[in-house]
Amino acid sequence: MTPPAAVKRPPAGAPTRSERMAPAPIAIGVTLVAAALLAVMVLIPSPRFVHRITFENGTPYHLDVGVTDAGHDGWMGIGTAERGQRTDLDEVFDIGDTWVFRYSAQGHKSRTFTLTRSELEARDWRITVPDTVGTEFRAGNVTVQP
């Protein structure tokens, strides 16, 4: 015959099994922080991008393309329109309803050109660099790059 197994009881005042399984304050804090981050991600809009803007550059210059909004809050370079050809610039930050463009080559800047979002959408986001840009640069003695 086998003697009965001894049952070990916890000392007086020690936490019971159900008390040991209760969530720790750290776990609750982590859960609250995760919930707050999720709420912020949902409430704050993500930046939007225009999938592609195509530039037709008939000038003899490689043109750095800059864009700003109607408030002229600062210029953002979006890429280079290669000379004499079509250039696609992908994933351009969407600056809003009014797009102000300027072109530069070798430190010289063109005048600005403004297009609305509806004009750009009607053109399927295709922009022809105005011939006046090349004319301005030639008049300013901007050397054509080799």
Side-chain angles (χ1 to χ4, degrees), residues 9-102:
R9 298 191 190 277
T16 64
R17 182 168 192 231
S18 62
E19 289 172 335
R20 284 190 303 253
M21 295 188 67
I26 293 174
I28 293 171
V30 168
T31 302
L32 290 175
V33 168
L37 287 174
L38 181 61
V40 167
M41 289 172 52
V42 169
L43 295 175
I44 296 177
S46 299
R48 296 185 326 165
F49 293 86
V50 174
H51 176 65
R52 175 176 294 129
I53 301 178
T54 301
F55 289 87
E56 292 284 346
N57 179 9
T59 76
Y61 299 96
H62 297 289
L63 299 173
D64 293 322
V65 181
V67 67
T68 189
D69 60 9
H72 290 259
D73 290 332
W75 289 94
M76 175 178 61
I78 61 172
T80 301
E82 300 297 327
R83 69 177 176 195
Q85 63 184 357
R86 184 185 97 182
T87 304
D88 293 330
L89 302 179
D90 297 327
E91 300 305 320
V92 176
F93 181 76
D94 187 341
I95 62 166
D97 291 331
T98 303
W99 293 63
V100 182
F101 293 92
R102 79 172 172 202

